[in-house]
Amino acid sequence: MKIYIVGSVGSGKTTLARHLANHYNIPHFETDNFVWTRRPEGDIRNSEEKRDDLLKDAIRLEQWIIEGVHIQWTDSALEAADHILFLDVPVAIRHWRIIKRFTRQALGLEKANYQPTFSIFLKMFQWTRYFEKQMKPEFLKKFNTYDKKVALLSTSDFRKIIALF
């Protein structure tokens, strides 16, 4: 099974991907981790070649779940996926989740792949607006190519999503 999950910041991509990966016992990848080499002293952006090689390595696996918000350089994963899940969760819910996540990360109650600074917190709201205006229409247009394997979901209810497979 190969599942690609797309959605804005706070849509539930990572949580859903982790849940499905645990449920089906298959590997899970975040596209952000193809872009960045994570280090305690700060992340370093990978070269496009390294980023693309990491994506190719993941796609070559027999089963996987890839989640992220990146577009164009990830087209090969969309093509290889058996199922594409687009999490179109209402903006108000995403905003609440961003606030909740930042608070939990700042208090050390939730692990983050990045340093949870106030600057990043504010950028998440900017990224949400950008997603709505720019990326969402691009993804929806792109999904016309993959019509039969795309599920547009306004929820991240795990029970409903697992029932799709």
Side-chain angles (χ1 to χ4, degrees), residues 135-146:
M135 298 188 77
K136 181 177 173 178
E138 285 184 52
F139 272 115
L140 292 173
K141 183 177 179 183
K142 186 175 290 285
F143 290 159
N144 288 330
T145 306
Y146 310 109

Side-chain angles (χ1 to χ4, degrees), residues 3-62:
I3 301 171
Y4 196 106
I5 302 171
V6 176
S8 178
V9 174
S11 64
K13 297 180 306 292
T14 304
T15 302
L16 176 61
R18 287 178 183 154
H19 184 81
L20 291 173
N22 286 335
H23 183 81
Y24 292 110
N25 195 29
I26 59 178
H28 155 234
F29 303 93
E30 298 174 37
T31 59
D32 281 348
N33 292 334
F34 299 143
V35 174
W36 300 98
T37 295
R38 306 295 189 179
R39 302 177 333 153
E41 60 276 5
D43 298 343
I44 297 176
R45 183 179 284 275
N46 291 326
S47 67
E48 288 182 10
E49 181 180 8
K50 181 175 181 179
R51 174 200 72 192
D52 294 347
D53 286 345
L54 291 169
L55 177 64
K56 286 177 193 171
D57 289 345
I59 292 171
R60 284 187 191 114
L61 297 174
E62 193 171 313

Side-chain angles (χ1 to χ4, degrees), residues 10-12 87-94 97 132 153-156:
S11 64
L87 300 184
D88 192 17
V89 175
V91 173
I93 293 173
R94 286 184 268 152
R97 289 177 178 173
E132 283 299 309
L153 306 167
S154 61
T155 181
S156 52

